[in-house]
Amino acid sequence: MPFVPFFVLAALGGTLVGMFAFILGRRAWRARDFRRRDRYRDYWFRRLPSLLAGDTPGSQEMRVPEARETLESILVNRLETAEGAEQKQLSELIERAGLLDQRIRLLQKGPRWERLYSATLLGQMRSPGAIPALVEALEEDWPPLCSAALRSLGRIGSAAAGPAILGFLQRGRPVEPNLWLEAAVACVPDLEDFASLLQDEREEVRVLAARSIAESPHPARFDSLNRFVFHPDPEVRAQVLRTLGRSRDGRAVSLLIAATHDSIWFVRLRALGALAELGDPSTLDAVLHAVKDSNFQVRQRAAATLASLVSCPGEALEKLLSSNDEYAVEALLSQLARSGLLWRSLPLLRSPQEQVRRDAEKLWSGAIAAGYHAILLNALETHPEWRVRVAIARLLARMDHPALVTELEQRLAAAPTTRLRRLLRAVLRSQTSCSGEKTRAPLARPA
Amino acid sequence: MLLWLVLLNKLIVVYFAVVMPFYGLLIVAALWSSARYRQTLKGQALQRFLKSSLTPPVSILVPAYNEQLSVAESVRSLLHLDYPELEVIVINDGSSDGTVEVLCRDFGLVPTSLAWRPELPCSPIRGIYVSPEEPRLLVIDKENGGKSDALNAGLNFARSPYFCTVDADVVLEADALLRVMAPVLNSRSLVLASGGIVRVANGCQVEHGRVRQVRLPERGIEVLQVVEYLRGFLFGREGWSALNALLIISGAFGVFSRAVAMEIGGYRRDTVGEDMDLVVRMHRRLCETGRPYRILFVPDPVCWTQVPSDWRTLARQRRRWQKGLLDVLWRNRPMMLNPRYGRAGLVAFPYQVGVELLGPVVEIVGILCILASAVLGLLGRGPLLYLLLFGYLAGTVISVAAVLLEELTYRRYTSLRELLRLLVYALLDFFPYRQFLLVCRVWGMLDYLRRPKAWGVQRRIGFSPEKA
């Protein structure tokens, strides 16, 4: 039988006792440490008004590291939400108290993890004085430090850091894409600066540059971007199209319409998104064409664009119904239903403004013709406002749909209240009286 | 007979001699990874993801089967998550209780029709509901087809590049989604999946879909599960994640790439371990196509879940888990020791087979052998005591180490009384709780061989405002 040496048992038992002692000892030590930090916190909170008024913390006050760290965390946390004059006061206090200089020193010469923490804190301090040290940290070999420096440069958001950020990508340093993007978007105000990167031979550089252009809050110039609409790289094309949509330049319309015929589906998708942003009603026909796209997601996007282009979704629906394309109609209606717009338009059926009422009726007539009558019937039974239910009943009474009669009969049989039964019966009566007189041709499914 | 017994004893010793270094390796990897993650957290300003336009939208899929007691709280907590753009898709999997009715009442849902494309197979959809006030919520009512089927239905409706699966009986912390997505946003390579830690909600005070106060449960069986979850997540998953060979992301809370999930055909509908199966198939697909990827465990996004509070339900749950494990490992057996699948095939998969799957059998046989040896006089009283003490100490060191790791890192149980209780239960974890689980797991394996697969039923107690 195998024999377990005594020292193994002793070691295991010792480990167990050691762990117990460590856990309890650490708990006690932390409790003491927190009490100390709380005392410093109370002290600094009492002192803060005078410090913000221009007082400088004395060397004696800043002697203990915990005291310094507590003040730093208070100021940095307040800076997160501060605006205007308060932000300026806090930044000045951070510099006056020597916290900025100390963090720069630690970033340059501190222990490994302290450098990383300092790089992050310098970003939170948002002081342009930290930019040279952070740019220097971008050259380090330790990727987490480079990432923290990049992130902090993005937080400071100064154009002075722009060339360093662009150079970081150009030199082929390993980069976290989103991090670089955020920094670039914050620090490079002129989109022309990205143009050279769009012609880089490395795909990842081209894609990142294109995404930066698309995400940048700075104004996009049509003249500097139009030449990239037919770039061989589809990702670049897609991002440039997004940017053109944001440019609000009417000259982009023809390029965007051409892009709705691109061979790559997501380029077409972006073109439609850009058309929605431009909001030019003259593009309606191109969008209507895209609603019949072979790609499901493009169809969905086209439907959303259509809904945003026209003042009343009923108009778009009417146009689609005239195209006799079931898929396209479904795409639009499903977009409207998922956004809650279809349901929210129900009270408009009894609006005192005639135009609003007509638009809502147009929308719902189209929805019924497309087979979406179930939503209206559900609303007839469940809508919290009785007057809206009456308006729905009136609309249904005027409509003619083959499936309506059967469904109305079923719901009448299951109706829980006399009032609802009366309403359903009235609709049913009008339906049966006109049934067979007006029949609509069924919608076609495209191949 | 005696010769066989001696031989068996020797085999079991060899087995443990091989397995113990694995545990040691995992503990070291977990400690290293935890320390590193804690340091990284200092440099990670999470709030920037909230404001960034680059943070991708996430679809949260919530499969619900007879969850009327807890579904509304869960959905409310999901809608209040700190995340810039999300949609919550609840899939009612043919519940026989009032799950849909509760949702309709609490969120003012209205039935609607939507165009959707059935890219993944799923049972027929009975109805689709939207909320006019909350456009981010979509409820799909479908016929019963199991959890995988419900998730497939949800995937058909999801519109975001990443989807998050969340059980309907869990509560997420406000920043959990942001934290679990952080590695996805920061990573240089493609992150296929990322999972958070699942903790025990029993005993905690839950209000309006939020855990207001973290407390240990009152019942012993629940506290033992707290220790077990700490051990499983903080050691097991963290260790494997550090080696990029994580084969399980809990279906209770995990984020996955939708494109890759669709590429591999979504969830397998005829399996009970659908979460593990998806991750394993993702590993396979990416290794076979030679694309670099990461599958990660993030230890601080917390998902609070109710654990069984009686032995019968616990036994049923563990049987189901073991069935799922066996099913997934059997279906993906080509990965076993196959260098094509890297560390996942060469280390993690054999570990799952040798330790997680066959471990219970070996342990039970080991216990029987020791007892038989003692009865037959092969083992004297001294060595018997030594062996039992060794087994107890080795198992308990791991449990106490899990509590230590929790104390070093996340410290959710703040009061000294609760810490002491946790430590006491860590001492009790090895006997007889572990033996009970061993029996359940072996039973689960036998079940798998005998009976068709089923999702099983778990009794829900719901989140009350006082205590979960």
Side-chain angles (χ1 to χ4, degrees), chain A residues 117-190:
Chain A
Y117 187 46
S118 298
T120 305
L121 269 181
L122 285 171
Q124 287 174 341
M125 289 175 182
R126 286 186 261 167
S127 168
I131 291 177
L134 289 168
V135 167
E136 212 176 281
L138 284 181
E139 301 301 320
E140 295 285 337
D141 289 331
W142 190 32
L145 183 63
C146 293
S147 298
L150 202 55
R151 186 183 299 130
S152 290
L153 286 171
R155 292 198 78 172
I156 297 170
S158 163
I165 290 168
L166 290 173
F168 187 75
L169 185 68
Q170 268 167 335
R171 283 196 305 279
R173 299 293 306 271
V175 60
E176 291 172 22
N178 281 352
L179 210 56
W180 186 87
L181 263 174
E182 278 187 7
V185 163
C187 299
V188 184
D190 190 357

Side-chain angles (χ1 to χ4, degrees), chain A residues 223-373:
Chain A
D223 301 317
S224 59
L225 291 176
N226 60 350
R227 64 181 191 273
F228 296 111
V229 170
F230 301 106
H231 193 280
D233 193 333
E235 183 68 31
V236 173
R237 289 204 297 277
Q239 301 297 348
V240 168
L241 289 170
R242 265 179 85 187
T243 320
L244 284 179
R246 217 184 60 225
S247 73
R248 311 257 168 196
D249 192 321
R251 288 175 293 171
V253 169
S254 58
L255 288 176
L256 291 173
I257 290 177
T260 59
H261 298 281
D262 198 285
S263 59
I264 305 292
W265 71 269
F266 62 83
V267 178
R268 300 200 294 275
L269 190 92
R270 293 295 187 201
L272 286 163
L275 283 175
E277 284 219 36
L278 282 179
D280 186 343
S282 69
T283 58
L284 201 62
D285 289 333
V287 181
L288 276 170
H289 182 266
V291 176
K292 300 169 201 168
D293 196 281
S294 58
N295 183 285
F296 179 74
Q297 294 185 54
V298 176
R299 283 204 298 277
Q300 290 277 351
R301 191 70 189 87
T305 305
L306 206 52
S308 71
L309 275 184
V310 290
S311 53
C312 160
E315 272 176 44
L317 189 59
E318 210 168 46
K319 273 182 179 278
L320 278 183
L321 282 168
S322 63
S323 75
N324 227 17
D325 184 338
E326 188 185 12
Y327 282 172
V329 172
E330 265 185 12
L332 177 62
L333 282 171
S334 124
Q335 194 65 34
L336 297 175
R338 195 149 180 187
S339 64
L341 201 139
L342 215 51
W343 184 263
R344 283 199 299 274
S345 71
L346 281 170
L348 303 181
L349 286 172
R350 51 175 297 273
S351 166
Q353 293 168 9
E354 199 181 337
Q355 188 56 42
V356 175
R357 199 172 59 242
R358 270 210 199 128
D359 285 345
E361 283 177 358
K362 207 186 279 180
L363 172 67
W364 279 105
S365 309
I368 293 169
Y372 269 59
H373 55 275

Side-chain angles (χ1 to χ4, degrees), chain B residues 133-185:
Chain B
E133 287 86 33
E134 182 49 90
R136 296 177 303 162
L137 176 63
L138 178 74
V139 175
I140 301 161
D141 183 20
K142 62 180 270 295
E143 283 173 15
N144 184 264
K147 189 176 176 186
S148 324
D149 190 77
L151 286 167
N152 277 350
L155 270 173
N156 283 330
F157 283 87
R159 296 187 289 191
S160 311
Y162 280 90
F163 69 95
C164 173
T165 59
V166 175
D167 281 354
D169 62 333
V170 304
V171 167
L172 295 187
E173 290 200 343
D175 59 357
L177 188 59
L178 207 56
R179 283 180 187 277
V180 85
M181 281 295 284
V184 175
L185 301 166

Side-chain angles (χ1 to χ4, degrees), chain A residues 36-53 55 61 70-71 74 78 93:
Chain A
R36 264 181 74 197
R37 283 181 190 264
D38 282 347
R39 276 202 301 275
Y40 286 125
R41 184 165 291 269
D42 292 343
Y43 173 77
W44 286 123
F45 271 122
R46 279 199 307 274
R47 187 93 164 75
L48 201 56
S50 65
L51 288 175
L52 285 175
D55 210 358
E61 286 174 301
T70 310
L71 177 63
I74 290 172
R78 279 187 85 141
L93 176 55

Side-chain angles (χ1 to χ4, degrees), chain B residues 37-268:
Chain B
Y37 182 70
R38 294 283 299 167
Q39 293 295 346
T40 319
L41 268 187
K42 283 187 183 173
Q44 190 182 62
L46 266 184
Q47 292 306 309
R48 76 193 171 93
F49 295 135
L50 268 183
K51 295 171 197 155
S52 170
S53 61
L54 302 172
T55 308
V58 172
S59 301
I60 302 181
L61 307 185
V62 190
Y65 178 71
N66 288 348
E67 306 275 5
Q68 67 169 1
L69 288 173
S70 52
V71 72
E73 282 284 16
S74 295
V75 171
R76 209 166 282 127
S77 94
L78 295 174
L79 288 169
H80 286 101
L81 285 177
D82 293 340
Y83 198 81
E85 204 180 338
L86 55 86
E87 61 174 353
V88 177
I89 303 177
V90 182
I91 311 106
N92 176 46
D93 190 32
S95 300
S96 54
D97 66 352
T99 302
V100 172
E101 287 73 19
V102 166
L103 287 169
C104 285
R105 189 192 62 213
D106 283 26
F107 297 96
L109 298 180
V110 290
T112 190
S113 311
L114 286 183
W116 61 286
R117 199 162 56 155
E119 283 178 84
L120 301 174
C122 64
S123 300
I125 305 286
R126 297 193 294 215
I128 301 164
Y129 300 83
V130 292
S131 165
E133 287 86 33
E134 182 49 90
R136 296 177 303 162
L137 176 63
L138 178 74
V139 175
I140 301 161
D141 183 20
K142 62 180 270 295
E143 283 173 15
N144 184 264
K147 189 176 176 186
S148 324
D149 190 77
L151 286 167
N152 277 350
L155 270 173
N156 283 330
F157 283 87
R159 296 187 289 191
S160 311
Y162 280 90
F163 69 95
C164 173
T165 59
V166 175
D167 281 354
D169 62 333
V170 304
V171 167
L172 295 187
E173 290 200 343
D175 59 357
L177 188 59
L178 207 56
R179 283 180 187 277
V180 85
M181 281 295 284
V184 175
L185 301 166
N186 281 335
S187 179
R188 288 188 193 96
S189 52
L190 170 69
V191 176
L192 287 189
S194 164
I197 187 168
V198 178
R199 286 174 180 266
V200 175
N202 306 42
C204 297
Q205 192 181 340
V206 180
E207 264 175 36
H208 308 299
R210 286 271 171 275
V211 173
R212 296 283 170 216
Q213 196 181 0
V214 178
R215 276 189 242 142
L216 272 183
E218 291 299 322
R219 293 186 196 181
I221 181 180
E222 294 166 341
V223 187
L224 285 169
Q225 287 175 83
V226 174
V227 177
E228 192 196 353
Y229 272 59
L230 287 180
R231 202 177 50 221
F233 279 93
L234 291 182
F235 275 148
R237 306 229 174 147
E238 181 120 39
W240 287 118
S241 172
L243 302 170
N244 195 26
L246 187 63
L247 292 188
I248 310 174
I249 288 211
S250 171
F253 178 42
V255 169
F256 304 88
S257 155
R258 184 174 179 267
V260 179
M262 298 304 263
E263 192 182 321
I264 59 171
Y267 287 89
R268 222 177 234 158

